[in-house]
Amino acid sequence: MAALHHPLPAHPPPAPRTRRPAADVRPAPVARAVGPAPAADTLGRDLALPVGTAVTAVAVTALLVTGQAGHRWLSLAAFALLTVGIAAAARPRLVPAVVLVSWMFFDGFVVHQHAELGWQQADRTSLWVLAGAGLAGAVCAAAARGRRTARAAGCGGAGTG
């Protein structure tokens, strides 16, 4: 049997270059001023509704245990502040759900105290108050995002004069 031999190349391959010439240096990439939201901000906005629901449940429990649920206007003010905070943290399309969850906890456990929802004048008033609080939280969050975007877009040329 004959063995097959491969012919050797006439010239060995050139050695790899370890240094680039000075003309081949590339500039560093420029950072973008405005881009997608960081992952932590997106995650926080997605989790605002479930976390807000849990915080609202804890607030109702605290009001019932301490006996402060009888002070409806004080409880409504506390729920309104809670709704503003949760709505500001949530995505804008989730604000109606935030308001509805907040109103259901308030109406079912603070106003009626037996997990029953009603539609009397006090129930409608509390719904309107909490809807206004949710709208206020969403508007404040949108204004803050707008200012942050404008500041990030405008800071590239500021102070270079």
Side-chain angles (χ1 to χ4, degrees), residues 9-123:
H11 301 284
R17 296 171 69 179
T18 57
R19 289 184 59 195
R20 285 193 273 179
D24 195 23
V25 175
R26 295 183 185 118
V30 177
R32 294 185 342 184
V34 179
D41 185 38
T42 303
L43 181 63
R45 292 178 72 197
D46 288 337
L47 291 177
L49 183 60
V51 170
T53 301
V55 170
T56 305
V58 169
V60 165
T61 304
L63 286 172
L64 292 174
V65 167
T66 60
Q68 298 299 318
H71 305 288
R72 286 193 185 154
W73 290 108
L74 181 63
S75 299
L76 183 59
F79 267 79
L81 289 174
L82 187 61
T83 303
V84 167
I86 297 168
R91 292 188 179 278
R93 69 174 179 255
L94 293 178
V95 171
V98 168
V99 169
L100 187 62
V101 166
S102 184
W103 177 75
M104 291 171 105
F105 272 106
F106 179 77
D107 193 56
F109 293 104
V110 175
V111 176
H112 297 290
Q113 296 185 356
H114 297 291
E116 297 174 356
L117 299 176
W119 197 244
Q120 287 81 25
Q121 182 62 36
D123 305 317

Side-chain angles (χ1 to χ4, degrees), residues 131-153:
L135 182 64
V139 167
C140 289
R145 279 191 303 273
R147 286 191 64 183
R148 215 174 20 236
T149 302
R151 187 176 298 149

